[in-house]
């Protein structure tokens, strides 16, 4: 039997399926694993209208499978925070919105848009964890086009 190690930092999303994204009381509980104590530590809900808060709310919406809403939220985030240090992260999850929507319901996502965003991530932030994940997504998209 193969054993899997828990990564040093893990994030757990427990999403209420019908909860609105902007309601802080119904925001998906987020916890971060502390390997030193072996416990999960609660993370405060994001603050809407802030760079980090809006990005976290968009990610939470994506995690719940609300792709159309997440798409709009990421688009607004890019307009509101064009100089953000979290641009690569937003780019990856925005591309994931298109990729995931297509996997959930064919013709709901835009695979070419997702591919171009993954490619931008790979070219602009080569060698990062998100660029490596983007490269794997590109291979999956290529496979989807073959079938």
């Amino acid at each position: 039997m193969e054993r899997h190690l828990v990564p040093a930092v893990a994030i757990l999303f427990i999403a209420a399926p019908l909860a609105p994204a902007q309601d802080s009381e119904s925001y998906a509980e987020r916890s971060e694993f502390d390997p030193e104590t072996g416990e999960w530590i609660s993370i405060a809900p994001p603050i809407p209208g802030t760079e980090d808060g809006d990005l976290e709310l968009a990610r939470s919406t994506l995690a719940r499978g609300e792709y159309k809403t997440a798409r709009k939220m990421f688009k607004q985030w890019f307009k509101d925070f064009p100089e953000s240090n979290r641009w690569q992260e937003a780019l990856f999850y925005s591309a994931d919105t298109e990729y995931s929507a297509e996997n959930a319901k064919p013709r709901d996502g835009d695979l070419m848009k997702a591919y171009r965003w993954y490619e931008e991530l790979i070219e602009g932030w080569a060698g990062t964890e998100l660029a490596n994940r983007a490269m794997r997504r590109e291979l999956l998209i290529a496979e989807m086009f073959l079938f």
Side-chain angles (χ1 to χ4, degrees):
M1 178 180 251
E2 197 176 307
R3 288 187 177 195
H4 298 282
L5 299 175
V6 176
V9 177
I11 297 177
L12 174 68
F13 286 97
I14 305 171
L18 300 175
Q22 280 77 16
D23 184 356
S24 63
E25 289 182 21
S26 63
Y27 176 73
E29 178 184 333
R30 271 193 79 194
S31 299
E32 186 174 283
F33 185 74
D34 181 355
E36 292 180 17
T37 64
E39 296 181 7
W40 289 93
I41 301 168
S42 293
I43 298 174
I47 300 169
T50 65
E51 178 181 338
D52 293 338
D54 286 354
L55 182 57
E56 293 306 317
L57 288 169
R59 285 181 60 190
S60 175
T61 303
L62 168 61
R64 286 194 307 274
E66 298 172 19
Y67 306 117
K68 189 174 183 177
T69 303
R71 186 179 289 128
K72 290 176 186 177
M73 293 173 78
F74 282 114
K75 185 177 181 179
Q76 187 62 49
W77 188 91
F78 286 118
K79 286 180 184 177
D80 292 345
F81 307 104
E83 302 296 320
S84 174
N85 292 332
R86 296 184 73 184
W87 188 268
Q88 69 170 331
E89 186 179 357
L91 190 60
F92 179 83
Y93 289 110
S94 189
D96 256 13
T97 300
E98 299 299 336
Y99 173 78
S100 299
E102 184 67 21
N103 276 325
K105 185 177 176 189
R107 294 189 176 82
D108 251 16
D110 186 337
L111 287 179
M112 284 309 298
K113 185 184 287 186
Y115 182 88
R116 286 191 299 271
W117 286 341
Y118 289 135
E119 192 62 25
E120 181 181 336
L121 185 60
I122 292 166
E123 290 174 6
W125 292 274
T128 64
E129 173 61 27
L130 286 175
N132 292 338
R133 289 172 64 189
M135 200 174 304
R136 289 191 295 271
R137 290 284 202 282
E138 281 188 346
L139 292 172
L140 293 171
I141 289 172
E143 187 176 301
M144 291 170 78
F145 281 129
L146 288 174
F147 298 101

